[in-house]
Amino acid sequence: MSKERILITTGIYPPKIGGPAQYAKNLARVFLEDNHQVSVKTFSLENYLPTGFRHLFFFLKILPSVSGSDLIIALDTFSVGFPSVLAAKILGRKIIVRTGGDFLWEGYVERTGKKILFKNFYQTELANLSFKEKLIFKITRWTLKHASKVVFSTEWQRDIFMPAYGLDSEKTAVIENYYGPKETPSPPYWDKTFIGSTRHLKWKNLDTLEKVFARVGDRAKLVTENYKFEELMARIKTSYAVILVSLGDISPNLILDAIRLEKPFIATKENGLMGRIRDVGLFVDPLDEEDITKAIEKMLDGKEYQALLERLKNFNFTHTWEEIANEFLEISQTLK
């Protein structure tokens, strides 16, 4: 396979925390190890600019890099996706947009406070969008339609996006998220700490989680603080379990890290990984406090906990960064 000049665009990059930051870092590392020319462009001053000006500034900033690239990989659909696709289209370059999350749905839930499940959003809420949200929808649709290829991390999100944005299936692909090799598990501290560390956004449903743990009382402790990646991994290792009850998590890194560290977990049923992980954890309806409470009670039962540990031990699927990078390159070879 010929060596390519690759540009990765991402809104966040380490030391900032978040899935796209780690994705960009590891993808760039593997491409460099394989002797491709790689550059990464991310937000800096853009973080302080309003929407529109932010896109224009980033568009102008990446133009020279786009011009000198064979392939651009944009790691979202709006913030860097739109200016990246626009630049690639003008300069005649191949561009793959990886969808990640859903900027529109996340913003809508944050603005309205409505607890709308991700799977239902495009069927029930488009008529209720604000002017800004309607603009985001139109820009996102343009971006996805004009990308050379749109890559999803799960079939679940692809099945939701295709009818919502009018996408041709032939212009889409699925590259699963990173499933790392297992690390030696650490025994939990006995304070029954559940790690629920995530961004404090309404769609993450932390208010429901806190109500449930108040009901459980001092038999279990909930931790929701954000930590840098290395510290979060250390805390997961010594925790009792991991818990995530968001209204929709397409490919939740917190759960994938729990699996890699062989840490029992409770996850929302509203995720895109069920076909892969349904047998190795407990899954709950994020809108049902009683269902979440029952799952925590089950996790606190010693026999159930040991059974989950055994299931995690026997889960051996991996999907390495090297495989992910190769899948991007294979797609690139099919693009004109």
Side-chain angles (χ1 to χ4, degrees):
M1 190 175 290
S2 62
K3 303 306 176 184
E4 300 212 40
R5 299 169 298 171
I6 302 170
L7 169 65
I8 299 171
T9 59
T10 173
I12 57 174
Y13 193 79
K16 292 184 177 179
I17 59 173
Q22 290 298 317
Y23 204 98
K25 174 186 174 182
N26 285 287
L27 203 57
R29 172 183 59 78
V30 173
F31 284 144
L32 285 169
E33 289 172 355
D34 198 28
N35 296 316
H36 297 279
Q37 295 181 36
V38 184
S39 61
V40 178
K41 294 295 182 182
T42 187
F43 281 0
S44 51
L45 178 61
E46 291 89 342
N47 290 311
Y48 306 99
L49 297 176
T51 301
F53 289 101
R54 179 189 310 149
H55 290 84
L56 176 61
F57 187 92
F58 191 73
F59 168 78
L60 294 173
K61 183 169 81 172
I62 65 173
L63 274 177
S65 298
V66 171
S67 178
S69 299
D70 302 308
L71 172 67
I72 300 95
I73 300 173
L75 296 183
D76 70 39
T77 61
F78 182 71
S79 295
V80 300
F82 172 52
S84 299
V85 170
L86 183 60
K89 189 170 179 61
I90 291 171
L91 295 171
R93 298 295 184 267
K94 297 182 294 186
I95 180 162
I96 299 172
V97 172
R98 181 184 183 269
T99 57
D102 187 350
F103 183 79
L104 179 60
W105 166 70
E106 292 176 15
Y108 179 82
V109 173
E110 195 67 17
R111 177 180 70 83
T112 65
K114 291 182 181 180
K115 292 202 170 184
I116 304 296
L117 298 179
F118 171 56
K119 69 181 180 184
N120 296 333
F121 172 68
Y122 288 99
Q123 298 174 12
T124 65
E125 301 301 314
L126 290 185
N128 301 321
L129 299 182
S130 66
F131 174 78
K132 179 180 178 180
E133 289 159 351
K134 289 177 181 176
L135 188 60
I136 291 170
F137 176 75
K138 289 180 180 179
I139 290 172
T140 301
R141 183 170 58 188
W142 184 92
T143 299
L144 295 176
K145 281 181 170 291
H146 288 87
S148 307
K149 200 86 167 185
V150 179
V151 164
F152 298 90
S153 62
T154 68
E155 293 280 359
W156 186 62
Q157 188 190 20
R158 178 161 71 169
D159 289 344
I160 293 170
F161 263 46
M162 281 182 53
Y165 288 101
L167 302 181
D168 182 346
S169 63
E170 293 184 358
K171 287 192 65 175
T172 70
V174 174
I175 296 178
E176 287 193 70
N177 214 333
Y178 173 72
Y179 288 75
K182 295 288 189 64
E183 294 190 17
T184 303
S186 301
Y189 291 135
W190 296 112
D191 61 358
K192 303 293 174 67
T193 297
F194 285 67
I195 299 294
S197 298
T198 188
R199 290 177 290 163
H200 287 204
L201 299 171
K202 291 174 184 175
W203 67 274
K204 290 293 188 179
N205 208 25
L206 289 175
D207 58 336
T208 296
L209 199 54
E210 287 164 357
K211 287 179 188 176
V212 169
F213 270 85
R215 182 188 301 178
V216 172
D218 58 8
R219 289 176 296 146
K221 176 184 176 184
L222 173 65
V223 174
T224 61
E225 286 83 0
N226 278 319
Y227 302 103
K228 290 185 178 179
F229 180 76
E230 292 77 12
E231 184 177 357
L232 177 59
M233 296 305 102
R235 288 181 177 271
I236 290 175
K237 282 184 179 181
T238 55
S239 70
Y240 183 75
V242 165
I243 187 164
L244 181 77
V245 297
S246 46
L247 303 178
D249 246 304
I250 293 157
S251 187
N253 288 293
L254 182 66
I255 299 305
L256 294 177
D257 288 328
I259 292 171
R260 182 169 54 85
L261 300 173
E262 292 190 8
K263 191 61 58 176
F265 65 88
I266 298 169
T268 176
K269 290 178 180 176
E270 302 299 324
N271 76 76
L273 305 178
M274 291 297 283
R276 182 70 70 184
I277 68 172
R278 69 172 68 251
D279 295 328
V280 294
L282 300 180
F283 299 91
V284 297
D285 179 347
L287 299 178
D288 187 339
E289 293 182 19
E290 188 62 33
D291 194 30
I292 300 168
T293 303
K294 287 179 181 178
I296 294 170
E297 298 281 2
K298 193 172 184 179
M299 186 70 77
L300 292 173
D301 180 272
K303 288 184 179 179
E304 293 286 353
Y305 189 82
Q306 289 301 319
L308 287 166
L309 281 174
E310 191 64 24
R311 288 186 221 167
L312 283 167
K313 182 179 179 181
N314 293 329
F315 182 87
N316 294 310
F317 175 76
T318 60
H319 190 224
T320 67
W321 289 114
E322 287 74 16
E323 289 172 321
I324 291 169
N326 283 335
E327 287 169 50
F328 273 103
L329 292 175
E330 286 170 3
I331 290 173
S332 176
Q333 296 302 309
T334 67
L335 303 177
K336 296 179 181 179

